[in-house]
């Protein structure tokens, strides 16, 4: 079994970076002042986000390597993978709990969808 990592890794890493950025941008424009140290918060969320998202990433990678071999459109593949990713994000944050979980679920889910639009699936590179 040959695994393909390029798209899933780019998608995951971009989502990890965009999630905290969206929260910080929201905080700046809404002026909630939840985050006094934006750089520190960003680095903290990046570190914890990478750790806590590993199970979701492995599930996403497994699904990607299965679904990419099915002869369906790239849009359907991306939509399916985004749905899997969003469910994994929500489940992860429901397990962690906390006062900012709703905001985190929303920001990471939005960043997941945005980052999927930034990259091509390039199924031509995948041997079917």
């Amino acid at each position: 079994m040959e695994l393909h990592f390029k798209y899933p890794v780019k998608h995951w890493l971009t989502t990890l970076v965009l999630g905290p950025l969206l929260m910080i941008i929201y905080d700046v424009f809404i002026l909630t002042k939840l985050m006094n140290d934006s750089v520190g918060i960003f680095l903290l969320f990046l570190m914890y986000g990478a750790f806590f998202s590993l199970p979701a990433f492995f599930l996403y990678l497994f699904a990607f390597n299965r679904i990419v071999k099915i002869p369906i459109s790239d849009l359907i593949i991306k939509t399916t993978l985004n749905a899997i990713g969003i469910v994994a994000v929500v489940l992860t944050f429901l397990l962690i709990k906390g006062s900012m979980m709703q905001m985190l679920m929303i920001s990471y889910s939005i960043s997941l969808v945005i980052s999927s639009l930034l990259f091509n699936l390039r199924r031509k590179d995948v041997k079917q």
Side-chain angles (χ1 to χ4, degrees):
M1 179 176 80
E2 185 179 348
L3 295 178
H4 303 282
F5 292 94
K6 243 181 185 179
Y7 177 82
V9 169
K10 289 190 290 189
H11 190 196
W12 176 59
L13 292 175
T14 305
T15 300
L16 285 176
V17 171
L18 280 178
L21 283 177
L22 288 177
M23 265 189 53
I24 291 167
I25 290 168
Y26 174 81
D27 189 62
V28 167
F29 285 108
I30 302 303
L31 304 172
T32 60
K33 301 294 182 202
L34 291 173
M35 297 174 243
N36 294 326
D37 178 19
S38 295
V39 174
I41 293 290
F42 174 78
L43 294 175
L44 183 71
F45 282 8
L46 197 60
M47 183 178 67
Y48 280 105
F51 176 73
F52 284 114
S53 69
L54 281 175
F57 172 69
F58 289 129
L59 173 67
Y60 182 94
L61 184 62
F62 177 78
F64 174 82
N65 277 290
R66 295 286 185 247
I67 198 169
V68 78
K69 294 174 182 164
I70 299 171
I72 54 177
S73 75
D74 288 355
L75 178 63
I76 292 173
I77 291 174
K78 283 186 174 188
T79 303
T80 303
L81 291 172
N82 284 343
I84 290 169
I86 290 170
V87 167
V89 164
V90 169
L91 289 175
T92 300
F93 284 119
L94 288 176
L95 289 172
I96 296 171
K97 299 183 181 170
S99 61
M100 296 179 65
M101 289 308 119
Q102 185 174 3
M103 188 186 307
L104 285 166
M105 280 190 264
I106 292 168
S107 67
Y108 277 103
S109 295
I110 291 171
S111 68
L112 190 135
V113 172
I114 291 171
S115 63
S116 75
L117 300 173
L118 298 176
F119 304 108
N120 290 327
L121 202 52
R122 299 190 196 274
R123 287 187 3 157
K124 295 173 222 119
D125 299 338
V126 178
K127 294 177 185 171
Q128 296 186 16

